[in-house]
Structures are given as C-alpha cells and as structure tokens.
Amino acid sequence: MITKEAIALAYKDIQNEICLALEQLDGSAKFEEELWEREGGGGGRTRIIQNGQILEKGGVNFSAVHGKLPESIKKAFGVDEDDFFATGVSIVIHPNNPWVSIIHMNIRYFELNEHIRWFGGGIDLTPHYVNEEDARYFHQQLKAVCDKHNPDFYEEFKKWADDYFYIRHRGETRGIGGVFYDKLNTQKTGMNLQDIFAFSCDLGRSFAPIYSVLVEKNRNKTYTDAEKNWQLIRRGRYVEFNLVWDSGTKFGLETNGRIESILMSLPSQASWVYDHQPEEGSEEAKTLSMLRKGINWI
C-alpha cells in the first residue's frame, strides 16, 4: 500500500521538475526558495519566480503538514477524528504578456487514517484573451491524461472545473476551465489508491509541457497599453475568486497555514475599474462571451 511518505517524496520530485522546466522556459529568471515549518506540524518549500522575461510572478509550492483539524474543517468533512496529514504541490503563474494565459495547478493528498485517504487537484487555464485554438489544445491534452487512467475522468472533471472555477458574484467563469477533482478515493472510483496516485502524478507532470507550448506560441506577441490594462482587470477577477471562493485558500487560513505561501497565487499588480464594459465586438467582449460553463472545447 502506498504510504504518505512516498506520496510526499514524489510530489517533491514533481516540484523540482516543474521549477527546472519553468526556468528554462523563461530564460532568465530563477526561483528563490524559502523553507518553512508549520506551527503544529510539518512544513514546506515555497519557490517564487519574479520579474522574468515572460514570468512576471509565479509560485511552485510544496507542503507536507500534519496536526489537528480545526472544528470547522472537521464539520465540513463530516469526521470525528482530527489527526490529519496533507501534502501537495500548488502552482500559479502570472505572465507579463497579456496574450499568455495565467495557469494554475494543484495536486494534493489528504489522510486521516487508513480508511479516510483521498486525492484532489486539477489544472485550469485563465486567458486574458480567449484563443479558441489554444483552448482546444489545452483541453485535448488534459483529456489525454485523463483517458489514460479512466475514460470517465475528463467529462466528469471538466464539469467539476466549470462549476468550481466560477465567480458566482460576477456570473462568469474564472477562465476556460480545465479539470478539477476532490476527495478521489477507492470507493468513489473503483480504482486502488496506487492507481489514483499514478493519475495524480501524471497530471502534475503534464503541466510543464502543456504550458510550454502555449507560452512559446504567444510570448513574442506585441501588445498595447489598452491590452495591458485589460490584463490587469482580468487579474482582478482572479484575485476575487481566490479570496472569496477558493477552498484551498480557506483551508490554508483555517489550519494556520503560512500566509505568504497561501497568498502567493495573487498577482503583483491588478486593477478594479468601476463598471467596466468592453466595446461591443471587441476582443475583450469576445473573451467575456466565452467565460461561461459548458463549452465543449474538444
């Protein structure tokens, strides 16, 4: 049976691989690492890259923490036990160029005891300008990873992402979605835990090659001040989702997680323009029209 120590070690390797790939992709910026310990048990490695040729700000974080669950989390999970272990890798990348998308990935594992163990995670893309060709490529690659492990995964997890990455107070999705899953275990899937873990690792390792293709395609496109301003407005929507709706942010805050690591997902700059309405027929208006659930990108 796969152990929590083996899972954490594999996730550490994935963090290393992704950081190396992103440094090579950017071409100039390097990650800075900070090791930290969590009061109550465990710790992690926060790695931040900033002011690169293409990567304005990004984080690739690993954590493995343990301790006592707060009462609010126990109630939300519907459990009585409170000795937990959680490990994962979390990534958010904010590029300089408005034509390059924000991307997020998270793979994680949670354990209370030998009977209550599950995996969660996903990858989603948040373009400032939706390019339909890029969206199709992104979803096709994620479907290929899902299909390798379970033919039902992509359709189920794509809908899950649409529903999860939804800014309810705006009535729009955060981006073009991707795949998202939570509390994936043997009972839910009929798969053994080792196979679910293999899916988690394959999804994690798909991040760098998928994003590299999208970055290389768009990194040299020129942009105007107006397009840069639109990027900042879209970043504002990203911030709204992460601070208001994101369950990972809430879990981190409620379990006394490290604030700098939890909030590394926020961009260095964002804008909120009162009642901003894009011009009819513009690329900005086209993007807004595609920020909705249920689009079949395949």
Side-chain angles (χ1 to χ4, degrees), residues 52-76:
Q53 293 187 62
I54 191 63
L55 307 179
E56 181 176 311
K57 181 186 176 187
V60 181
N61 290 350
F62 165 82
S63 63
V65 299
H66 56 87
K68 301 290 185 180
L69 281 178
E71 287 299 321
S72 58
I73 300 294
K74 288 170 60 178
K75 184 177 180 180

Side-chain angles (χ1 to χ4, degrees), residues 112-125:
L112 275 179
N113 54 47
E114 64 180 29
H115 303 294
I116 302 176
R117 310 171 73 191
W118 68 69
F119 289 89
I123 305 179
D124 70 290
L125 197 70

Side-chain angles (χ1 to χ4, degrees), residues 101-214:
S101 299
I102 302 168
I103 193 167
H104 158 261
M105 186 196 84
N106 176 266
I107 51 173
R108 60 188 182 275
Y109 169 76
F110 179 87
E111 176 180 314
L112 275 179
N113 54 47
E114 64 180 29
H115 303 294
I116 302 176
R117 310 171 73 191
W118 68 69
F119 289 89
I123 305 179
D124 70 290
L125 197 70
T126 304
H128 312 99
Y129 290 94
V130 175
N131 178 294
E132 293 176 67
E133 181 180 296
D134 289 353
R136 284 193 296 272
Y137 169 79
F138 179 70
H139 278 271
Q140 286 166 355
Q141 297 303 305
L142 294 183
K143 185 176 186 300
V145 176
C146 290
D147 288 352
K148 176 182 173 183
H149 294 271
N150 189 309
D152 298 326
F153 274 1
Y154 174 74
E155 184 176 349
E156 179 184 350
F157 297 167
K158 193 267 185 188
K159 183 181 184 303
W160 205 332
D162 281 354
D163 291 338
Y164 181 78
F165 296 108
Y166 185 68
I167 310 174
R168 281 174 263 176
H169 59 275
R170 295 284 186 182
E172 64 188 41
T173 55
R174 189 171 78 174
I176 61 163
V179 294
F180 180 80
Y181 59 95
D182 198 20
K183 299 183 181 178
L184 214 61
N185 57 22
T186 298
Q187 292 75 23
K188 186 175 290 187
T189 64
M191 300 164 59
N192 63 51
L193 212 63
Q194 180 72 51
D195 290 340
I196 302 172
F197 174 51
F199 166 66
S200 173
C201 290
D202 280 354
L203 188 68
R205 290 192 163 99
S206 75
F207 171 88
I210 291 173
Y211 194 50
S212 294
V213 169
L214 296 173

Side-chain angles (χ1 to χ4, degrees), residues 252-278:
L253 294 175
E254 292 187 27
T255 55
N256 296 318
R258 184 174 181 273
I259 297 301
E260 289 300 318
S261 298
I262 296 168
L263 299 184
M264 70 90 185
S265 64
L266 304 184
S268 54
Q269 290 184 314
S271 292
W272 286 266
V273 178
Y274 182 79
D275 196 27
H276 183 272
Q277 301 294 330

